Amino acid sequence: MPSLFRLSPTAPGVSRLQRDTFAFVLSDGRRIDVLRVRDPRAKRLRLSVGERGARLTLPPRTSLVAGERFVHEHRDWLTDQLAQQPGDVVPLVPGEPALVPLRGQLLPLHWAEGRVARVVGDDQGLSLQLPPRAGQAAIARALRDFYEAQARADIGRWLPAYLPGLPRPPSRIRLRVLSSQWGSLAPDGTLTLDLALVLGRPAAFEYVLVHELCHLLHADHSRRFWREVEARCPDWRASRDYFREEGRRLKAGLHVLLSA
């Protein structure tokens, strides 16, 4: 099976990851790019599927040919897995009507000409204002800025109600695109939340905020910690189930929209 890209041989002592992609044809005829990662810590070949697509992990001394053969041997499995990936959100094409997720809904997106790239809300949904020569990078930045502003507005509404009873407020709040986590609390009090949360159900977003705030009281996931969560968010189990069912869809949708 020919490869479009080649990794240079791994030299002894090399400790960093090496990445490239190669083209692959699925059982249903679709052509995809598989991310290939040579990991010095890997002990065996591994094929996985996530919100970013297919990934092949190779140990240091495994040949590229052996890796591609491994993918071919698992072609039917890979085809089935990719068919189950979330597909509600598609890349935006300037000028073409689209639906974009926000707070658990798909809102119609319209296009308009503007001096700067930005997303604004109106009675008909959302409008993406774009200069004539703006490209995909400008669209991605405008969407990211819009989503971050919406997420910060939600946090600003919810946070004051939960500060009483905490030893201190978070030192700062960051919104990031996270690959697997939904949130984290650093030792210095920095609270990091996944930007994809604003795409989903508001109650689930609020639960993640509460969850991380409770780590200001207990750094672990002990019974004492969960009692604090329960006191502030009695319906937290429903939000946990929501993420199990819809989490991959939310993260995948954000990745599609912000890919430039």
Tab-separated table of all heavy atoms in Angstrom, residues 131-185:
chain	number	residue	atom	x	y	z
A	131	PRO	N	-15.139	39.882	5.921
A	131	PRO	CA	-14.587	40.705	4.836
A	131	PRO	C	-14.492	39.889	3.550
A	131	PRO	O	-14.375	38.661	3.586
A	131	PRO	CB	-13.195	41.089	5.364
A	131	PRO	CG	-13.280	40.919	6.838
A	131	PRO	CD	-14.222	39.776	7.058
A	132	PRO	N	-14.492	40.525	2.387
A	132	PRO	CA	-14.527	39.796	1.111
A	132	PRO	C	-13.404	38.787	0.928
A	132	PRO	O	-13.618	37.724	0.350
A	132	PRO	CB	-14.452	40.916	0.071
A	132	PRO	CG	-15.002	42.114	0.768
A	132	PRO	CD	-14.601	41.985	2.201
A	133	ARG	N	-12.202	39.083	1.387
A	133	ARG	CA	-11.061	38.197	1.142
A	133	ARG	C	-10.716	37.299	2.326
A	133	ARG	O	-9.683	36.636	2.322
A	133	ARG	CB	-9.841	39.024	0.748
A	133	ARG	CG	-10.028	39.801	-0.558
A	133	ARG	CD	-8.757	40.509	-0.964
A	133	ARG	NE	-8.926	41.234	-2.223
A	133	ARG	CZ	-7.964	41.928	-2.814
A	133	ARG	NH1	-6.760	42.012	-2.252
A	133	ARG	NH2	-8.207	42.570	-3.958
A	134	ALA	N	-11.548	37.279	3.332
A	134	ALA	CA	-11.262	36.454	4.503
A	134	ALA	C	-11.384	34.974	4.163
A	134	ALA	O	-12.227	34.577	3.364
A	134	ALA	CB	-12.201	36.817	5.639
A	135	GLY	N	-10.539	34.160	4.793
A	135	GLY	CA	-10.533	32.724	4.536
A	135	GLY	C	-10.971	31.915	5.741
A	135	GLY	O	-11.560	32.446	6.694
A	136	GLN	N	-10.664	30.623	5.714
A	136	GLN	CA	-11.093	29.713	6.771
A	136	GLN	C	-10.502	30.070	8.122
A	136	GLN	O	-11.157	29.893	9.149
A	136	GLN	CB	-10.715	28.272	6.397
A	136	GLN	CG	-11.529	27.695	5.260
A	136	GLN	CD	-13.005	27.639	5.571
A	136	GLN	OE1	-13.825	28.120	4.807
A	136	GLN	NE2	-13.358	27.057	6.694
A	137	ALA	N	-9.277	30.575	8.147
A	137	ALA	CA	-8.662	30.934	9.429
A	137	ALA	C	-9.452	32.051	10.103
A	137	ALA	O	-9.653	32.035	11.327
A	137	ALA	CB	-7.213	31.356	9.215
A	138	ALA	N	-9.912	33.033	9.325
A	138	ALA	CA	-10.699	34.129	9.888
A	138	ALA	C	-12.043	33.629	10.404
A	138	ALA	O	-12.537	34.074	11.449
A	138	ALA	CB	-10.902	35.209	8.836
A	139	ILE	N	-12.654	32.693	9.672
A	139	ILE	CA	-13.925	32.108	10.113
A	139	ILE	C	-13.734	31.375	11.438
A	139	ILE	O	-14.531	31.526	12.377
A	139	ILE	CB	-14.474	31.159	9.042
A	139	ILE	CG1	-14.843	31.931	7.775
A	139	ILE	CG2	-15.678	30.376	9.572
A	139	ILE	CD1	-15.237	31.042	6.610
A	140	ALA	N	-12.673	30.572	11.536
A	140	ALA	CA	-12.408	29.810	12.760
A	140	ALA	C	-12.171	30.742	13.939
A	140	ALA	O	-12.667	30.503	15.048
A	140	ALA	CB	-11.211	28.889	12.554
A	141	ARG	N	-11.406	31.828	13.726
A	141	ARG	CA	-11.150	32.774	14.819
A	141	ARG	C	-12.433	33.461	15.267
A	141	ARG	O	-12.668	33.647	16.466
A	141	ARG	CB	-10.127	33.817	14.385
A	141	ARG	CG	-8.690	33.319	14.346
A	141	ARG	CD	-7.717	34.476	14.252
A	141	ARG	NE	-7.948	35.301	13.065
A	141	ARG	CZ	-7.375	35.088	11.892
A	141	ARG	NH1	-6.536	34.056	11.745
A	141	ARG	NH2	-7.615	35.879	10.864
A	142	ALA	N	-13.275	33.836	14.296
A	142	ALA	CA	-14.537	34.495	14.647
A	142	ALA	C	-15.440	33.570	15.461
A	142	ALA	O	-16.057	33.991	16.453
A	142	ALA	CB	-15.246	34.955	13.380
A	143	LEU	N	-15.513	32.312	15.052
A	143	LEU	CA	-16.330	31.350	15.795
A	143	LEU	C	-15.776	31.111	17.190
A	143	LEU	O	-16.526	31.057	18.168
A	143	LEU	CB	-16.402	30.033	15.028
A	143	LEU	CG	-17.448	29.947	13.919
A	143	LEU	CD1	-17.235	28.687	13.103
A	143	LEU	CD2	-18.856	29.970	14.497
A	144	ARG	N	-14.464	30.995	17.277
A	144	ARG	CA	-13.863	30.757	18.594
A	144	ARG	C	-14.112	31.940	19.521
A	144	ARG	O	-14.461	31.759	20.690
A	144	ARG	CB	-12.365	30.494	18.453
A	144	ARG	CG	-11.700	30.190	19.788
A	144	ARG	CD	-10.337	29.611	19.631
A	144	ARG	NE	-9.813	29.213	20.925
A	144	ARG	CZ	-9.022	28.190	21.120
A	144	ARG	NH1	-8.672	27.421	20.105
A	144	ARG	NH2	-8.574	27.881	22.330
A	145	ASP	N	-13.938	33.157	19.011
A	145	ASP	CA	-14.198	34.341	19.830
A	145	ASP	C	-15.651	34.392	20.277
A	145	ASP	O	-15.958	34.744	21.427
A	145	ASP	CB	-13.850	35.607	19.050
A	145	ASP	CG	-12.353	35.774	18.822
A	145	ASP	OD1	-11.574	35.079	19.500
A	145	ASP	OD2	-11.983	36.593	17.965
A	146	PHE	N	-16.564	34.035	19.363
A	146	PHE	CA	-17.983	34.042	19.704
A	146	PHE	C	-18.292	33.019	20.784
A	146	PHE	O	-18.971	33.329	21.780
A	146	PHE	CB	-18.810	33.753	18.448
A	146	PHE	CG	-20.272	33.544	18.727
A	146	PHE	CD1	-21.099	34.615	19.010
A	146	PHE	CD2	-20.818	32.261	18.698
A	146	PHE	CE1	-22.460	34.425	19.262
A	146	PHE	CE2	-22.164	32.072	18.948
A	146	PHE	CZ	-22.988	33.151	19.235
A	147	TYR	N	-17.805	31.803	20.604
A	147	TYR	CA	-18.074	30.758	21.585
A	147	TYR	C	-17.474	31.114	22.949
A	147	TYR	O	-18.088	30.877	23.991
A	147	TYR	CB	-17.519	29.422	21.104
A	147	TYR	CG	-18.416	28.692	20.128
A	147	TYR	CD1	-17.897	28.054	19.007
A	147	TYR	CD2	-19.789	28.617	20.333
A	147	TYR	CE1	-18.716	27.384	18.109
A	147	TYR	CE2	-20.617	27.950	19.447
A	147	TYR	CZ	-20.077	27.333	18.343
A	147	TYR	OH	-20.896	26.663	17.463
A	148	GLU	N	-16.281	31.677	22.948
A	148	GLU	CA	-15.664	32.034	24.234
A	148	GLU	C	-16.472	33.129	24.927
A	148	GLU	O	-16.672	33.085	26.145
A	148	GLU	CB	-14.220	32.474	24.036
A	148	GLU	CG	-13.532	32.829	25.347
A	148	GLU	CD	-12.029	32.861	25.272
A	148	GLU	OE1	-11.460	32.329	24.293
A	148	GLU	OE2	-11.417	33.405	26.206
A	149	ALA	N	-16.943	34.114	24.166
A	149	ALA	CA	-17.757	35.171	24.769
A	149	ALA	C	-19.048	34.610	25.351
A	149	ALA	O	-19.479	35.002	26.451
A	149	ALA	CB	-18.057	36.249	23.727
A	150	GLN	N	-19.677	33.673	24.636
A	150	GLN	CA	-20.903	33.061	25.129
A	150	GLN	C	-20.636	32.233	26.384
A	150	GLN	O	-21.427	32.262	27.341
A	150	GLN	CB	-21.518	32.185	24.035
A	150	GLN	CG	-21.990	32.948	22.808
A	150	GLN	CD	-23.090	33.934	23.110
A	150	GLN	OE1	-24.110	33.564	23.692
A	150	GLN	NE2	-22.899	35.185	22.738
A	151	ALA	N	-19.539	31.483	26.383
A	151	ALA	CA	-19.201	30.662	27.542
A	151	ALA	C	-18.913	31.536	28.766
A	151	ALA	O	-19.351	31.229	29.882
A	151	ALA	CB	-17.995	29.775	27.226
A	152	ARG	N	-18.193	32.625	28.578
A	152	ARG	CA	-17.879	33.519	29.701
A	152	ARG	C	-19.149	34.200	30.225
A	152	ARG	O	-19.273	34.452	31.428
A	152	ARG	CB	-16.835	34.542	29.293
A	152	ARG	CG	-15.453	33.929	29.088
A	152	ARG	CD	-14.331	34.941	29.056
A	152	ARG	NE	-13.039	34.282	28.897
A	152	ARG	CZ	-12.357	33.712	29.879
A	152	ARG	NH1	-12.845	33.735	31.125
A	152	ARG	NH2	-11.191	33.137	29.651
A	153	ALA	N	-20.085	34.479	29.334
A	153	ALA	CA	-21.357	35.046	29.790
A	153	ALA	C	-22.107	34.054	30.676
A	153	ALA	O	-22.673	34.427	31.718
A	153	ALA	CB	-22.206	35.444	28.588
A	154	ASP	N	-22.116	32.778	30.286
A	154	ASP	CA	-22.763	31.755	31.107
A	154	ASP	C	-22.077	31.622	32.462
A	154	ASP	O	-22.732	31.575	33.509
A	154	ASP	CB	-22.744	30.407	30.378
A	154	ASP	CG	-23.695	30.376	29.187
A	154	ASP	OD1	-24.554	31.271	29.082
A	154	ASP	OD2	-23.568	29.455	28.356
A	155	ILE	N	-20.767	31.544	32.438
A	155	ILE	CA	-20.018	31.411	33.689
A	155	ILE	C	-20.279	32.609	34.597
A	155	ILE	O	-20.452	32.468	35.815
A	155	ILE	CB	-18.506	31.270	33.398
A	155	ILE	CG1	-18.235	29.954	32.651
A	155	ILE	CG2	-17.702	31.317	34.696
A	155	ILE	CD1	-16.840	29.875	32.071
A	156	GLY	N	-20.319	33.798	34.004
A	156	GLY	CA	-20.573	35.000	34.788
A	156	GLY	C	-21.940	35.002	35.459
A	156	GLY	O	-22.110	35.569	36.549
A	157	ARG	N	-22.923	34.360	34.838
A	157	ARG	CA	-24.253	34.259	35.446
A	157	ARG	C	-24.277	33.244	36.581
A	157	ARG	O	-24.966	33.428	37.582
A	157	ARG	CB	-25.299	33.865	34.400
A	157	ARG	CG	-25.652	34.974	33.424
A	157	ARG	CD	-26.936	34.633	32.667
A	157	ARG	NE	-26.829	33.358	31.966
A	157	ARG	CZ	-26.365	33.231	30.730
A	157	ARG	NH1	-25.937	34.294	30.072
A	157	ARG	NH2	-26.307	32.049	30.140
A	158	TRP	N	-23.549	32.138	36.407
A	158	TRP	CA	-23.627	31.043	37.376
A	158	TRP	C	-22.692	31.208	38.568
A	158	TRP	O	-23.038	30.838	39.691
A	158	TRP	CB	-23.290	29.713	36.682
A	158	TRP	CG	-24.205	29.330	35.585
A	158	TRP	CD1	-25.551	29.576	35.504
A	158	TRP	CD2	-23.866	28.619	34.387
A	158	TRP	NE1	-26.068	29.062	34.344
A	158	TRP	CE2	-25.068	28.468	33.631
A	158	TRP	CE3	-22.691	28.087	33.874
A	158	TRP	CZ2	-25.104	27.811	32.404
A	158	TRP	CZ3	-22.710	27.438	32.647
A	158	TRP	CH2	-23.901	27.298	31.925
A	159	LEU	N	-21.515	31.721	38.341
A	159	LEU	CA	-20.455	31.675	39.348
A	159	LEU	C	-20.823	32.336	40.671
A	159	LEU	O	-20.545	31.747	41.735
A	159	LEU	CB	-19.182	32.302	38.773
A	159	LEU	CG	-17.927	32.239	39.665
A	159	LEU	CD1	-17.566	30.787	39.972
A	159	LEU	CD2	-16.760	32.951	38.976
A	160	PRO	N	-21.419	33.526	40.701
A	160	PRO	CA	-21.668	34.172	42.002
A	160	PRO	C	-22.468	33.319	42.976
A	160	PRO	O	-22.251	33.395	44.195
A	160	PRO	CB	-22.437	35.447	41.609
A	160	PRO	CG	-21.985	35.744	40.216
A	160	PRO	CD	-21.821	34.399	39.576
A	161	ALA	N	-23.386	32.496	42.475
A	161	ALA	CA	-24.213	31.683	43.364
A	161	ALA	C	-23.422	30.599	44.073
A	161	ALA	O	-23.849	30.100	45.124
A	161	ALA	CB	-25.365	31.055	42.574
A	162	TYR	N	-22.261	30.219	43.511
A	162	TYR	CA	-21.494	29.112	44.085
A	162	TYR	C	-20.291	29.563	44.903
A	162	TYR	O	-19.639	28.728	45.545
A	162	TYR	CB	-21.024	28.183	42.960
A	162	TYR	CG	-22.167	27.529	42.219
A	162	TYR	CD1	-22.430	27.841	40.889
A	162	TYR	CD2	-23.004	26.620	42.862
A	162	TYR	CE1	-23.483	27.262	40.206
A	162	TYR	CE2	-24.066	26.029	42.192
A	162	TYR	CZ	-24.302	26.357	40.864
A	162	TYR	OH	-25.356	25.771	40.204
A	163	LEU	N	-19.988	30.841	44.909
A	163	LEU	CA	-18.812	31.305	45.647
A	163	LEU	C	-18.980	31.234	47.164
A	163	LEU	O	-18.018	30.905	47.870
A	163	LEU	CB	-18.458	32.736	45.223
A	163	LEU	CG	-17.944	32.872	43.784
A	163	LEU	CD1	-17.638	34.334	43.479
A	163	LEU	CD2	-16.703	32.014	43.556
A	164	PRO	N	-20.161	31.534	47.722
A	164	PRO	CA	-20.311	31.382	49.175
A	164	PRO	C	-20.028	29.945	49.616
A	164	PRO	O	-20.516	28.991	49.019
A	164	PRO	CB	-21.778	31.766	49.424
A	164	PRO	CG	-22.131	32.665	48.281
A	164	PRO	CD	-21.384	32.102	47.102
A	165	GLY	N	-19.268	29.808	50.654
A	165	GLY	CA	-18.923	28.474	51.149
A	165	GLY	C	-17.628	27.922	50.599
A	165	GLY	O	-17.142	26.879	51.064
A	166	LEU	N	-17.043	28.598	49.602
A	166	LEU	CA	-15.749	28.176	49.084
A	166	LEU	C	-14.635	28.916	49.808
A	166	LEU	O	-14.815	30.065	50.234
A	166	LEU	CB	-15.657	28.452	47.579
A	166	LEU	CG	-16.640	27.704	46.674
A	166	LEU	CD1	-16.435	28.131	45.220
A	166	LEU	CD2	-16.467	26.192	46.804
A	167	PRO	N	-13.478	28.300	49.975
A	167	PRO	CA	-12.378	28.985	50.676
A	167	PRO	C	-11.863	30.198	49.921
A	167	PRO	O	-11.336	31.134	50.525
A	167	PRO	CB	-11.307	27.894	50.793
A	167	PRO	CG	-11.611	26.927	49.691
A	167	PRO	CD	-13.099	26.934	49.563
A	168	ARG	N	-12.018	30.199	48.597
A	168	ARG	CA	-11.541	31.300	47.760
A	168	ARG	C	-12.143	31.122	46.372
A	168	ARG	O	-12.529	30.017	45.997
A	168	ARG	CB	-10.010	31.322	47.667
A	168	ARG	CG	-9.428	30.083	47.005
A	168	ARG	CD	-7.910	30.032	47.086
A	168	ARG	NE	-7.356	28.915	46.353
A	168	ARG	CZ	-7.326	27.671	46.780
A	168	ARG	NH1	-7.825	27.373	47.989
A	168	ARG	NH2	-6.785	26.711	46.042
A	169	PRO	N	-12.206	32.160	45.588
A	169	PRO	CA	-12.659	32.002	44.199
A	169	PRO	C	-11.514	31.480	43.340
A	169	PRO	O	-10.338	31.512	43.760
A	169	PRO	CB	-13.050	33.430	43.793
A	169	PRO	CG	-12.162	34.290	44.625
A	169	PRO	CD	-11.996	33.571	45.943
A	170	PRO	N	-11.781	30.999	42.141
A	170	PRO	CA	-10.679	30.630	41.237
A	170	PRO	C	-9.798	31.850	40.964
A	170	PRO	O	-10.298	32.978	40.883
A	170	PRO	CB	-11.406	30.178	39.958
A	170	PRO	CG	-12.804	29.882	40.375
A	170	PRO	CD	-13.104	30.791	41.516
A	171	SER	N	-8.501	31.608	40.840
A	171	SER	CA	-7.596	32.722	40.569
A	171	SER	C	-7.811	33.286	39.172
A	171	SER	O	-7.667	34.491	38.943
A	171	SER	CB	-6.136	32.280	40.743
A	171	SER	OG	-5.839	31.195	39.874
A	172	ARG	N	-8.159	32.432	38.240
A	172	ARG	CA	-8.544	32.856	36.896
A	172	ARG	C	-9.270	31.704	36.222
A	172	ARG	O	-9.170	30.551	36.660
A	172	ARG	CB	-7.341	33.295	36.059
A	172	ARG	CG	-6.298	32.219	35.815
A	172	ARG	CD	-5.238	32.711	34.839
A	172	ARG	NE	-4.160	31.754	34.684
A	172	ARG	CZ	-3.353	31.706	33.626
A	172	ARG	NH1	-3.512	32.567	32.643
A	172	ARG	NH2	-2.388	30.817	33.554
A	173	ILE	N	-9.989	32.026	35.155
A	173	ILE	CA	-10.749	31.020	34.418
A	173	ILE	C	-10.311	31.061	32.963
A	173	ILE	O	-10.338	32.127	32.328
A	173	ILE	CB	-12.264	31.266	34.531
A	173	ILE	CG1	-12.698	31.146	35.994
A	173	ILE	CG2	-13.028	30.265	33.674
A	173	ILE	CD1	-14.169	31.459	36.214
A	174	ARG	N	-9.890	29.921	32.445
A	174	ARG	CA	-9.455	29.806	31.055
A	174	ARG	C	-10.396	28.876	30.306
A	174	ARG	O	-10.884	27.898	30.858
A	174	ARG	CB	-8.027	29.250	30.972
A	174	ARG	CG	-6.984	30.042	31.722
A	174	ARG	CD	-5.592	29.510	31.457
A	174	ARG	NE	-5.507	28.077	31.738
A	174	ARG	CZ	-4.420	27.324	31.506
A	174	ARG	NH1	-3.341	27.881	30.979
A	174	ARG	NH2	-4.420	26.039	31.791
A	175	LEU	N	-10.605	29.195	29.043
A	175	LEU	CA	-11.374	28.332	28.149
A	175	LEU	C	-10.426	27.802	27.087
A	175	LEU	O	-9.766	28.578	26.396
A	175	LEU	CB	-12.521	29.105	27.518
A	175	LEU	CG	-13.637	29.452	28.508
A	175	LEU	CD1	-14.446	30.636	28.014
A	175	LEU	CD2	-14.543	28.248	28.746
A	176	ARG	N	-10.353	26.489	26.964
A	176	ARG	CA	-9.430	25.844	26.051
A	176	ARG	C	-10.150	24.733	25.291
A	176	ARG	O	-11.188	24.249	25.718
A	176	ARG	CB	-8.225	25.239	26.806
A	176	ARG	CG	-7.355	26.265	27.509
A	176	ARG	CD	-6.509	27.040	26.511
A	176	ARG	NE	-5.551	27.920	27.163
A	176	ARG	CZ	-5.790	29.186	27.462
A	176	ARG	NH1	-6.983	29.714	27.216
A	176	ARG	NH2	-4.860	29.922	28.038
A	177	VAL	N	-9.574	24.334	24.167
A	177	VAL	CA	-10.054	23.154	23.453
A	177	VAL	C	-9.313	21.959	24.028
A	177	VAL	O	-8.109	21.800	23.801
A	177	VAL	CB	-9.814	23.285	21.937
A	177	VAL	CG1	-10.300	22.028	21.214
A	177	VAL	CG2	-10.520	24.523	21.386
A	178	LEU	N	-10.004	21.129	24.798
A	178	LEU	CA	-9.397	19.993	25.482
A	178	LEU	C	-9.725	18.708	24.727
A	178	LEU	O	-10.827	18.553	24.199
A	178	LEU	CB	-9.905	19.902	26.918
A	178	LEU	CG	-9.728	21.171	27.774
A	178	LEU	CD1	-10.312	20.958	29.171
A	178	LEU	CD2	-8.257	21.550	27.877
A	179	SER	N	-8.771	17.791	24.711
A	179	SER	CA	-8.973	16.565	23.934
A	179	SER	C	-9.858	15.551	24.649
A	179	SER	O	-10.684	14.881	24.017
A	179	SER	CB	-7.617	15.925	23.612
A	179	SER	OG	-6.929	15.618	24.807
A	180	SER	N	-9.726	15.422	25.967
A	180	SER	CA	-10.500	14.397	26.673
A	180	SER	C	-11.198	14.954	27.909
A	180	SER	O	-12.340	14.611	28.193
A	180	SER	CB	-9.601	13.225	27.065
A	180	SER	OG	-8.511	13.670	27.859
A	181	GLN	N	-10.541	15.815	28.658
A	181	GLN	CA	-11.146	16.364	29.869
A	181	GLN	C	-12.217	17.397	29.535
A	181	GLN	O	-12.253	17.956	28.443
A	181	GLN	CB	-10.078	17.026	30.738
A	181	GLN	CG	-9.073	16.085	31.371
A	181	GLN	CD	-8.060	16.851	32.191
A	181	GLN	OE1	-7.361	17.723	31.697
A	181	GLN	NE2	-7.988	16.531	33.465
A	182	TRP	N	-13.063	17.669	30.532
A	182	TRP	CA	-14.031	18.763	30.424
A	182	TRP	C	-13.608	19.944	31.274
A	182	TRP	O	-14.066	21.067	31.047
A	182	TRP	CB	-15.412	18.282	30.833
A	182	TRP	CG	-15.973	17.287	29.875
A	182	TRP	CD1	-16.071	15.930	30.049
A	182	TRP	CD2	-16.490	17.550	28.560
A	182	TRP	NE1	-16.615	15.348	28.935
A	182	TRP	CE2	-16.893	16.318	28.002
A	182	TRP	CE3	-16.666	18.712	27.808
A	182	TRP	CZ2	-17.442	16.204	26.733
A	182	TRP	CZ3	-17.214	18.616	26.540
A	182	TRP	CH2	-17.602	17.375	26.010
A	183	GLY	N	-12.763	19.697	32.251
A	183	GLY	CA	-12.294	20.788	33.079
A	183	GLY	C	-11.198	20.318	34.007
A	183	GLY	O	-10.979	19.118	34.187
A	184	SER	N	-10.486	21.271	34.610
A	184	SER	CA	-9.439	20.950	35.572
A	184	SER	C	-9.198	22.162	36.467
A	184	SER	O	-9.499	23.303	36.081
A	184	SER	CB	-8.137	20.539	34.873
A	184	SER	OG	-7.593	21.637	34.141
A	185	LEU	N	-8.649	21.898	37.641
A	185	LEU	CA	-8.302	22.958	38.573
A	185	LEU	C	-6.841	22.790	38.951
A	185	LEU	O	-6.446	21.765	39.514
A	185	LEU	CB	-9.183	22.904	39.824
A	185	LEU	CG	-8.934	24.024	40.835
A	185	LEU	CD1	-9.471	25.356	40.299
A	185	LEU	CD2	-9.570	23.697	42.178
